[in-house]
Amino acid sequence: MSSELRTPLAAVHEALGARMVPFSGWLMPVQYTSIVAEHLHTRTSASLFDLSHMGRLRISGSGAQALLQHATTNDVSRLAEGGAQYTLACNEDGGIIEDLIVYRFADSWQLIVNAANRVRILGHLESLRDRHEYYARIEDETFATALIGLQGPLSQEILQPLVDSDLTDLGYYHARAALLSLAPGARPHPNPLPGGEAVPALISRTGYTGEDGFELGLDADEAEMIWQALLDDPRVQPAGLGARDTLRLEAGMALYGHELTEDINPYQAGLQRVVKLAKGDFVGRRALETLSRSPPTRSLIGLEFERGAVPRAGYTVHQGGQVVGEVASGTFSPTLNRPIATAYVQAPTPEPGVELAVSIRNGLVPARVVSLPFVPHHTKSAGLGRQGRQPEG
């Protein structure tokens, strides 16, 4: 018998014929039809993703803000109610132990953390709370809730008929509580929820694809009904972890364990924008302040290849006959129709257009340095304007 955890939607994935694989301790769908087809559908229409393996932690109490301010690199005091913030948790040496999203609500905060790091971050926060005597309650809501992603340019048009409020003014990296139902004034949906039942949900305009989209947090018991209500729209298809990875890499978004590890600091990863040294003391601040005074010893770059073998993590990067770095992530880009990769290379950082090479299958394959992201973002700010990059908070 498999020892992997199952999300509230695992039976649905199996009924849809998904290929299920172990991932970070969970049994997850890697694909339903093909990674390329699911990827391209997300770029042109909208896809459903089961994100319930991601950790969901709730922090409350009078010391909650102080705890998060001490545990993360960004400045949570800048967050207004309903706002979200991308941030990092570092060790005392400045190495990244997790990247996460922080949400601020009227009476609590929510963290979305990587599945593989959930237990570690939970313990890290509890240790900081106890050591510094912050008055804060930390609850792990992962198993009582579900998280569903709807990603793609048609996401708002598809989701709006099920929501009791106007999504147009919900900006990128913002969230609100809502009811999923046929509320008065909502546009008719061809497959309404049974009996017009209203399902409470937290709707955030966030995602991991570079496209416009939403993430829906709700009770685990309601997940199947909402998944099916969205999938009933013919413009929606399910997508697995395979497409999620190719989409995020095209969008230049980091994956913990690849672009981010405890041996990498924010300046090397190009994430200095989420390090707020001026906010005061936090874990790793002293080391990060020292690191900020000089150029990083290695940097994250993008690489494009002509059609051919796909580069993989750990493959060495060469310049002038010398090894200068290694690949962090590599894949075939369905959008660009060519292999792409991120890589860490030694200083000085090569500029876009510089020719390097990557060792693939015992041969050196030419690669060209390009700017990240590989594919432009199409995320939306309030009022449906485009927003070019992930916000700081």
Side-chain angles (χ1 to χ4, degrees), residues 116 188 344:
Y344 276 100

Side-chain angles (χ1 to χ4, degrees), residues 99-357:
D99 67 324
L100 60 152
I101 298 177
V102 177
Y103 293 87
R104 183 172 194 164
F105 303 110
D107 57 355
S108 65
W109 306 71
Q110 186 182 60
L111 311 185
I112 304 296
V113 302
N114 288 291
N117 287 340
R118 176 182 59 85
V119 174
R120 181 185 189 187
I121 288 299
L122 185 59
H124 180 65
L125 291 172
E126 289 174 340
S127 176
L128 289 175
R129 176 196 60 189
D130 297 345
R131 190 185 324 151
H132 296 278
E133 299 183 340
Y134 296 119
Y135 185 79
R137 182 182 183 185
I138 305 171
E139 301 171 87
D140 186 352
E141 299 181 335
T142 306
F143 300 101
T145 60
L147 188 62
I148 296 173
L150 178 66
Q151 296 285 304
L154 301 185
S155 295
Q156 179 173 305
E157 184 178 342
I158 291 163
L159 182 60
Q160 183 63 79
L162 293 178
V163 181
D164 67 343
S165 62
D166 186 0
L167 295 174
T168 301
D169 62 355
L170 182 63
Y172 189 47
Y173 263 62
H174 285 78
R176 69 165 62 121
L179 292 176
L180 299 177
S181 66
L182 284 183
R187 289 176 288 172
H189 189 280
N191 295 284
L193 299 181
E197 183 177 348
V199 174
L202 177 68
I203 301 179
S204 61
R205 199 163 207 143
T206 49
Y208 199 44
T209 64
E211 295 295 333
D212 187 30
F214 302 89
E215 293 177 335
L216 313 177
L218 61 160
D219 286 346
D221 292 343
E222 312 286 3
E224 285 194 18
M225 180 168 60
I226 297 303
W227 177 277
Q228 190 57 54
L230 290 166
L231 200 58
D232 281 344
D233 190 305
R235 297 168 293 181
V236 179
Q237 294 181 5
L241 292 176
R244 190 166 183 255
D245 190 54
T246 56
L247 289 159
R248 73 89 192 167
L249 186 52
E250 284 187 352
M253 294 180 171
L255 174 64
Y256 197 88
H258 289 258
E259 287 77 18
L260 307 178
T261 72
E262 201 161 356
D263 295 323
I264 294 167
N265 67 62
Y267 301 103
Q268 295 170 332
L271 292 174
Q272 57 271 15
R273 70 182 188 276
V274 300
V275 177
K276 307 301 184 185
L277 296 173
K279 73 173 183 175
D281 188 39
F282 59 92
V283 179
R285 184 190 181 282
R286 182 175 299 179
L288 291 170
E289 185 176 27
T290 300
L291 289 167
S292 72
R293 298 190 188 115
S294 56
T297 56
R298 55 178 171 167
S299 299
L300 185 69
I301 62 169
L303 296 173
E304 278 190 354
F305 304 74
E306 296 304 320
R307 296 200 62 172
V310 174
R312 299 300 183 192
Y315 287 9
T316 53
V317 179
H318 300 250
Q319 183 178 32
Q322 301 293 320
V323 175
V324 296
E326 68 176 39
V327 170
S329 293
T331 193
F332 177 81
S333 164
T335 304
L336 301 175
N337 198 34
R338 63 173 64 99
I340 59 173
T342 55
Y344 276 100
V345 295
Q346 300 167 8
T349 306
E351 296 293 327
V354 170
E355 296 291 331
L356 302 177

Side-chain angles (χ1 to χ4, degrees), residues 31-49:
Q31 68 183 69
Y32 298 83
T33 54
S34 78
I35 292 173
V36 170
E38 293 164 23
H39 177 113
L40 294 175
H41 188 81
T42 308
R43 291 272 183 248
T44 57
S45 186
S47 296
L48 271 182
F49 296 83

